Amino acid sequence: QVQLVESGGGLVQPGGSLRLSCEASGDTLDSSAVGWFRQAPGKAREEVSCINRRDRRTYYADSVKGRFTISRDNAKNAAYLQMNDLRPEDTATYYCAVSQFPGDLPVCDESFFVYWGQGTRVAVSS
């Protein structure tokens, strides 16, 4: 079992930055792929970014490429999502998730993720 707690969300103006954190307990993250997903009001949850456990390859949704950066610190058992140049359309609840897929993920898709945090809300507005 893995418990995940996200933090770092908040209200920010367009063009601003936030850094989301995902702290894990109950098991280590170093053997797992980690993903960030988001769900805007009235919309389906969508993938934002994933990072593999072995080759550390990263994936980004087209909408966040060049603005968001995913990272992980296995020593701290944590993962992060640095979000720059935030836009109103980035407003959503952001979820951290951990996969138990036995290899590197073929695609960043929520179907591969087993453990989920409660989410942290991000609002981008002037």
Side-chain angles (χ1 to χ4, degrees), residues 9-93:
L11 174 64
V12 64
Q13 292 186 339
S17 298
L18 286 173
R19 187 191 192 212
L20 305 184
S21 297
C22 173
E23 296 184 359
S25 61
D27 202 351
T28 57
L29 285 183
D30 59 0
S31 59
S32 306
V34 178
W36 285 96
F37 299 81
R38 68 186 181 187
Q39 186 168 20
K43 295 187 177 181
R45 188 163 58 191
E46 62 178 3
E47 65 275 6
V48 176
S49 181
C50 293
I51 182 167
N52 278 336
R53 69 181 184 98
R54 287 183 179 176
D55 61 12
R56 300 298 179 97
R57 185 164 53 103
T58 55
Y59 165 88
Y60 296 95
D62 288 343
S63 58
V64 306
K65 277 181 183 176
R67 300 187 298 122
F68 290 12
T69 302
I70 190 171
S71 62
R72 59 194 299 164
D73 186 337
N74 289 340
K76 295 183 178 180
N77 216 27
Y80 308 95
L81 185 69
Q82 177 67 42
M83 306 188 297
N84 298 328
D85 189 23
L86 283 160
R87 304 167 180 171
E89 53 264 38
D90 295 318
T91 295
T93 298

Side-chain angles (χ1 to χ4, degrees), residues 1-4 24-29 32 98 100 115-116:
Q1 288 284 340
V2 179
Q3 292 80 45
L4 303 171
S25 61
D27 202 351
T28 57
L29 285 183
S32 306
V98 167
Q100 289 198 318
Y115 300 108
W116 293 81

